[in-house]
Amino acid sequence: MTAAAGKEAAARGVQPPMSVAPLPVDDSRVSCGPQPDGRIAGDPDGFIDMVQHYDRPLRALVFRLMGSREQMDDVLQDVYLRAFRALPGFRGEAASGTWLYRIAYNVCIDELRRSHRQPRVPLEDYFDEPDPGADPGDLASMRGDLAGALAGLPVDQRAAVLLVDAHGFDYARAGEILGVPPGTVGSRVSRGRAALRRSLGTPS
Amino acid sequence: MTEPTDVGPDRDLGRRLRSLPVPDHGDEFFDRLRGRLAAESAFTGAPSYRGRSARVIELSAARPQPVRRPPSRARRLVTLATAPAAAVACFALVVGGAVVVHRPGDRGTPRPIESGTRWSADNRTVDRPDRADRLTAAAPYESTERGLAIAFTTRASSRAGLVQSSYQATVTPSGDYRLLRTAPRLEAAYSAEHRTRRLARAAGAGTAPVVEQQDLPLGPPDGPALSTPDRQLSRDLAAAVRAIAVEQPGRVSRGELMGRPVVTLDEPLEPGAGFTEGSQTVDRVRIVVDEQTGLPLEVRLTSAGALFREITVQSIDETPVAPASLTPTAPDEVRPPATSLGHRPVPIDDVQSVTGRAPAVPRWAPDGFQLTGVTVAGSLPTTGSNPASRDVVTLAYRRGYDTFTVTTRLTAPATGPAGDGWRNPLVDGTYLPDRTDPTPLVGGLLDGRTAHVGIYPLVWPHLWVEAEDLVVTVAGDLTRGELVRVAESLTPHTTR
């Protein structure tokens, strides 16, 4: 979002997405986020205020599953619309973050299955300029390699690795999102990590 | 990446995953969403959360199911064609008939040339498949070539503002290069003979961690052409300008820069012709190309007047290449972790025994180009929306600093879903547009096929064509006519 667009969005009461904010290292931020209630069911502005709390981590997940910003935006439009439609029946048994993640994962899978399209390596990884502020122990090329290696994983393993390692969900919560038992999450994470190590040449 | 525990996150991997960029939404994302939600509310009568009986939300736990299709007749034929002779016949059959067209000036299959640069590792096992365990970090290059010493800077917009970097590069006509960035320090050295690259980046006051990449792709579409440090000195942009200058000379201007003859493309891009990254869409390009070397001397990509990416060459000088100048510094005791990118070098005469079919080889190439490398990748993971591919055979040709590649690939893995049709391999998986023109091919293995030819800014000049279960690409420093003529001259290689 450009600076001008950000100001315009702020004037409308919409906070621009925080692309530089780090992802939560555990799911506390997700689980302690705002919960839907009667004030936002049927209230687009209230609903948007709520989902913006989760928007960046959801972008991070969906972008890596779908592979392009355009598809990320399309998927998240559907995610938020489905969540909005489902609000009246939301019982609050799951944290709203987990609930949104699960919708997001299902929409991604639906979209990938519908179109048979495979994820793409984002251009910014290909054209990536080394970030002077990054950890000097990281080679510039490794970031692009990691993105490419990640994109090469089957989508179920990729989602499991992202949810557990990047988004900080435990296996039980990740299992709720993926719709599988925690043990299945664990095996997917193990296989995904092993495949990443092979791709990156990292000693296991 | 740290050793994972049985349960719980791999924190090092998590840190690296979280450092990957996350794009912002498009500018109108929330406006569009608000409109859709408002329409939904109006349609449903603004349902209230409270006061309605609770129900379990049924979210479909959809998981990907493999799409299985019966193999096509062509694929069955290929699968059965295991004998070398049958493979040759099958290749000719499925690609469309082995009609060999000899044009005046055909020079036959180009012969491999020897690289002038030698990789003298402590042991000479670097060309063995198990060399990853045998290399030492002390692997100096010995070269007697003359090359180019290039000083250049790049500026690129980022979320933190403009990031400027200064580089010193040395490149040779054989394709070796060394790249040095001063701050933060980054070194890269590439051996064209062995398709091996070492990368080192300073870690504060300590030693430089080194990684090694082996079996790199020889060029597009599976990787940037390795004739120069293309990732930093985007030579693909220059190649497009040179091809445009031949095809549409009115679009470019000619002049001199730093005493060197140059051709300049400076124009706005048509809507849809640029690419969008984050919230920026590149809508204007200025690219100044050294006519003698094909290197970009100046690149400026802008978005609504704001700088998106810039490359400025300060000096370019022909120079003898001393061995030490191509040596990546690394502590002797360190064995760099090595990664194979899968493109194994294979002698051209051995490709058929590896893949089961004779490689397609051009019988024509522009004057001066010679075959300098052949690789085979058994299987490659999918990128972009295209299916995974296997038996990817790449032939690389060089003429000084100019390069082009001819690549053939089977379009579906041996098991699993069949391909759904292909998109342009040169741009699929990127945000670059596909602006190719359909061009019928006459002659050779691809006789009667329709190729897609792309000569436009920001992309290597390229041609791609589907032929049954094969996708063929030709890309590099070629004009439209040369791309087509190379494609029309493709015939099965015959072992000498």
Side-chain angles (χ1 to χ4, degrees), chain A residues 1-2 5 12 14 17 19-20 23-25 36-38 41-42 44-45 47-48 52 55-56 59-60 63-64 67-70 72-74 76-78 80-81 84-92 99 102-103 105-106 109-110 113 115-121 123-132 135-147 150 152 155 161-162 164-166 171 178-180 188 193 196-197 199-202 204, chain B residues 1-11 13-34 36-38 40-41 46-50 52-57 59-65 67 69 154 156 159 163 165 167 181 184 186 199-204 209-211 213 223-224 231-232 234 275-279 309 337-341 381-387 420 423 428-432:
Chain A
M1 183 178 286
T2 62
R12 295 193 306 265
V14 177
S19 59
V20 295
L23 287 171
V25 295
D37 61 27
D45 287 334
F47 178 79
I48 288 175
Q52 283 193 343
D55 185 66
R56 185 177 187 277
R59 272 187 284 128
F63 181 60
R64 292 294 155 192
S68 78
R69 195 191 74 163
E70 289 78 7
M72 176 194 78
D73 272 3
D74 289 346
L76 283 176
Q77 285 277 334
D78 285 348
Y80 294 149
L81 187 59
F84 188 71
R85 286 172 179 163
L87 268 177
F90 181 70
R91 293 195 305 177
W99 175 63
R102 185 171 181 184
I103 297 175
Y105 178 70
N106 286 335
I109 293 301
D110 288 347
R113 189 168 52 179
S115 62
H116 301 285
R117 296 189 67 183
Q118 297 296 317
R120 312 190 302 178
V121 177
L123 183 67
E124 53 261 44
D125 293 334
Y126 185 77
F127 267 133
D128 185 38
E129 275 287 310
D131 176 6
D135 181 349
D138 282 342
L139 290 166
S141 65
M142 295 293 277
R143 199 164 94 172
D145 290 347
L146 178 60
L150 187 67
V155 69
V161 168
L162 286 168
V164 172
D165 289 330
Y171 288 179
L178 301 175
V180 298
R188 289 180 182 178
R193 286 173 183 163
L196 286 177
R197 270 188 210 94
S199 297
L200 298 172
T202 308
S204 58
Chain B
M1 203 181 302
T2 56
E3 184 68 20
T5 56
D6 289 336
V7 295
D10 180 335
R11 297 195 183 281
L13 174 60
R15 177 181 59 80
R16 290 171 58 189
L17 289 171
R18 287 191 294 275
S19 76
L20 294 174
V22 179
D24 292 332
H25 288 301
D27 285 346
E28 297 178 352
F29 178 87
F30 283 104
D31 284 344
R32 187 156 62 104
L33 178 62
R34 183 177 285 101
R36 295 181 73 185
L37 298 182
E40 186 75 15
S41 294
S48 169
Y49 172 58
R50 290 176 183 162
R52 290 183 61 145
S53 60
R55 64 182 172 83
V56 176
I57 301 170
L59 299 174
S60 64
R63 286 183 286 281
Q65 299 295 322
V67 180
R69 292 180 177 181
T154 65
R159 296 178 182 90
V163 176
S165 301
Y167 294 90
R181 187 187 64 201
L186 172 72
L199 298 150
R201 186 175 179 183
V210 181
V211 296
Q213 296 170 315
R231 196 158 168 172
Q232 287 80 14
S234 303
F275 65 89
T276 299
E277 183 179 359
S279 60
R309 182 174 169 83
T339 303
S340 171
L341 301 189
T382 181
T383 58
S385 60
N386 283 325
D420 280 338
R423 302 182 185 207
D428 192 69
T430 75
Y431 293 141
L432 298 168

